[in-house]
Amino acid sequence: LGFKKSLFFGGIVMILGNLLIAFSPQDMFYYGIAFSIIGTGFFKPNISSMVGELYDEKDPRRDAGFGMFYAGINIGGFLGGILCIYLGKFYSWQLCFLAAAIVMIFGLLTFLFTKKHLGPIGDSPLLEMPESKRRVREIAVYVGSLISIPFIYTMVINTDYTDYFMYTIGIIALLYFIYELVKLGNVSLQKKLIAAFAFIFFYLLFNAIYEQSGGSLSLFAKDNLTNNLLGFTIDPNAVNNSSNTLFVIILSPLIGLLWLWLAKMKLEPNTLIKFGIGFLFLSASFYIFYYTKFFANAEGITSLNVFTFAYFITTIGELCLGPIGMSIITKLSPKRLFGMMMGLWFLASAFGQLAAGKLGAAISQSNEGTTLVTKLQSYTDGYYQLAIYALVAGIVLIVISPLVKKLMQDVK
């Protein structure tokens, strides 16, 4: 299809998914989710790959460009979260899905009117093929994806199948990666692709620790935090849900400019070191989550200010890794494999979230008492363990950086 058509098709399918839920939530909710899953698969990896193609492989602006792209994603997440909470609480939760569909329509229209400025970026890789054959292949992709919706629907409504599905997809993705790796037939390109896979693996580990906001940290915020943030009264879970995206919006351009300034000064750390620094900041943030126990009162209620500061540190770690990771994947991958490698990047995110859910569940289930004090102890002990895991991962990454750097060759 090419990135442009994949992005547009994914957007259309996501819009349909949200409209199904908006107009018939009781009957069509899970079908709407299935449509959204298919649409996201077409949309997310391809738009990231297109950003990568905007820059030359050695353009120092690439990392900063992905940083701005990352900030844009989080602006949408921040505003969308606020809008949906407002519509859901004061009007109807169905309107949240309708609003999402309307905003996506505006987004796709913007893309349609501006894509001419992209030139050949994102065009089909099969342009040299006869049009009739190319059209047959494109239709086969569209039909195949829609046929898979009942299968995705089954996965969504029966969570017992989810783990098996994820493991199966993981094995298939790994085998396909090996197939494409061997098919390259060029040792230099193969080494770069192996280096890209190493970054993807560490991104999975990062997300397994980082993605606690929707699980254990949400429960921690509900049970064990005050509602006072710098003198203002605020719902702790509103902070848990939105502080990270707000910090990304604020810090992303600043860190992007920092990389550019360091590059001009010839002091910019390579991507491996940036990844390692990201893990160290992640470790520090979870140690701060753990340290909230020392600010608790006798009832087990602790400081929202310290909790928010921990998220600030988490965000710095995320920005040392997330947008830069997407950038390095496009640097290390042949253009023909941009979409596949970005798909693996987001698949690693999905597996990281799966692991994060299991880690968060273990943290929550470790509480053997019924008081807020015992909950506080259980949560913070778990965060201490996660801080250690992140620290070890960061140190390992820095230690093996010379080996991975050799695989990367001239890519920085």
Side-chain angles (χ1 to χ4, degrees):
L1 296 182
F3 299 144
K4 289 176 182 175
K5 288 183 179 179
S6 296
L7 189 155
F8 186 76
F9 177 69
I12 291 292
V13 175
M14 286 192 290
I15 289 169
L16 291 174
N18 280 277
L19 289 175
L20 286 174
I21 299 173
F23 290 109
S24 185
Q26 287 79 21
D27 297 326
M28 303 300 292
F29 179 82
Y30 291 112
Y31 280 109
I33 295 296
F35 269 77
S36 296
I37 290 170
I38 294 293
T40 301
F42 276 90
F43 190 92
K44 285 186 71 173
N46 289 293
I47 193 170
S48 304
S49 299
M50 287 179 69
V51 174
E53 287 206 9
L54 292 173
Y55 300 93
D56 182 73
E57 185 179 300
K58 296 183 179 180
D59 193 329
R61 298 173 299 171
R62 182 186 286 244
D63 285 359
F66 268 101
M68 296 301 293
F69 170 66
Y70 206 72
I73 293 171
N74 280 274
I75 290 172
F78 181 71
L79 296 176
I82 293 173
L83 177 63
C84 287
I85 288 173
Y86 174 76
L87 291 174
K89 281 191 172 182
F90 296 103
Y91 294 97
S92 165
W93 290 107
Q94 290 176 244
L95 287 178
C96 300
F97 295 96
L98 180 60
I102 292 171
V103 172
M104 287 180 191
I105 290 170
F106 279 113
L108 278 189
L109 289 174
T110 302
F111 174 71
L112 282 177
F113 288 119
T114 59
K115 68 177 183 178
K116 60 184 178 182
H117 300 296
L118 294 171
I121 294 174
D123 286 343
S124 172
L126 305 178
L127 288 178
E128 297 180 359
M129 182 180 290
E131 184 177 352
S132 59
K133 288 186 177 181
R134 187 172 75 245
R135 192 168 295 263
V136 168
R137 291 196 179 191
E138 289 179 359
I139 292 173
V141 171
Y142 296 139
V143 173
S145 62
L146 295 177
I147 289 175
S148 70
I149 287 176
F151 175 70
I152 301 297
Y153 170 82
T154 303
M155 296 297 104
V156 172
I157 62 171
N158 194 331
T159 55
D160 292 338
Y161 294 150
T162 304
D163 286 356
Y164 298 115
F165 174 71
M166 288 294 292
Y167 298 146
T168 302
I169 290 295
I171 293 170
I172 292 172
L174 181 60
L175 291 175
Y176 187 69
F177 167 79
I178 294 171
Y179 165 75
E180 289 289 357
L181 180 69
V182 174
K183 185 180 173 184
L184 280 175
N186 182 303
V187 175
S188 177
L189 293 178
Q190 288 173 332
K191 287 181 177 179
K192 289 181 180 180
L193 211 59
I194 292 171
F197 190 81
F199 282 108
I200 290 170
F201 175 74
F202 276 96
Y203 184 58
L204 187 159
L205 295 181
F206 186 91
N207 277 285
I209 300 169
Y210 164 79
E211 289 287 356
Q212 294 295 320
S213 60
S216 68
L217 284 172
S218 178
L219 296 173
F220 182 57
K222 177 180 73 71
D223 295 332
N224 292 100
L225 293 180
T226 67
N227 61 357
N228 184 294
L229 179 63
L230 300 177
F232 296 94
T233 300
I234 187 168
D235 184 338
N237 252 316
V239 174
N240 179 63
N241 292 341
S242 62
S243 60
N244 177 245
T245 53
L246 179 61
F247 289 143
V248 167
I249 294 166
I250 295 170
L251 294 174
S252 187
L254 298 178
I255 291 179
L257 290 172
L258 173 64
W259 300 140
L260 287 176
W261 179 75
L262 289 173
K264 287 182 180 179
M265 300 291 290
K266 297 183 178 180
L267 295 172
E268 184 184 16
N270 63 47
T271 304
L272 283 160
I273 300 301
K274 290 177 183 177
F275 258 60
I277 292 171
F279 272 100
L280 297 182
F281 271 104
L282 181 66
S283 175
S285 70
F286 272 89
Y287 185 80
I288 296 171
F289 283 130
Y290 157 74
Y291 205 73
T292 56
K293 68 187 291 185
F294 298 107
F295 291 84
N297 59 22
E299 287 77 35
I301 303 298
T302 189
S303 170
L304 182 57
N305 293 323
V306 178
F307 181 86
T308 307
F309 179 66
Y311 259 119
F312 180 80
I313 301 300
T314 301
T315 305
I316 296 175
E318 177 188 357
L319 291 173
C320 287
L321 188 145
I324 293 165
M326 289 190 286
S327 174
I328 196 63
I329 295 302
T330 60
K331 289 179 185 178
L332 291 167
S333 306
K335 285 189 177 182
R336 181 178 65 83
L337 299 179
F338 271 15
M340 182 198 81
M341 294 304 291
M342 289 310 304
L344 285 176
W345 177 262
F346 288 113
L347 184 62
S349 175
F351 271 100
Q353 291 176 45
L354 178 67
K358 293 184 181 299
L359 287 170
I363 290 172
S364 301
Q365 291 170 2
S366 66
N367 176 34
E368 297 178 353
T370 58
T371 68
L372 293 180
V373 174
T374 59
K375 287 184 178 182
L376 176 71
Q377 186 69 39
S378 175
Y379 290 133
T380 54
D381 285 350
Y383 300 145
Y384 182 77
Q385 291 297 318
L386 293 180
I388 293 174
Y389 297 155
L391 178 62
V392 171
I395 293 173
V396 168
L397 183 55
I398 292 172
V399 168
I400 68 169
S401 61
L403 174 61
V404 181
K405 193 174 180 180
K406 285 183 180 179
L407 293 172
M408 294 169 66
Q409 298 161 72
D410 57 334
V411 178
K412 297 181 180 179

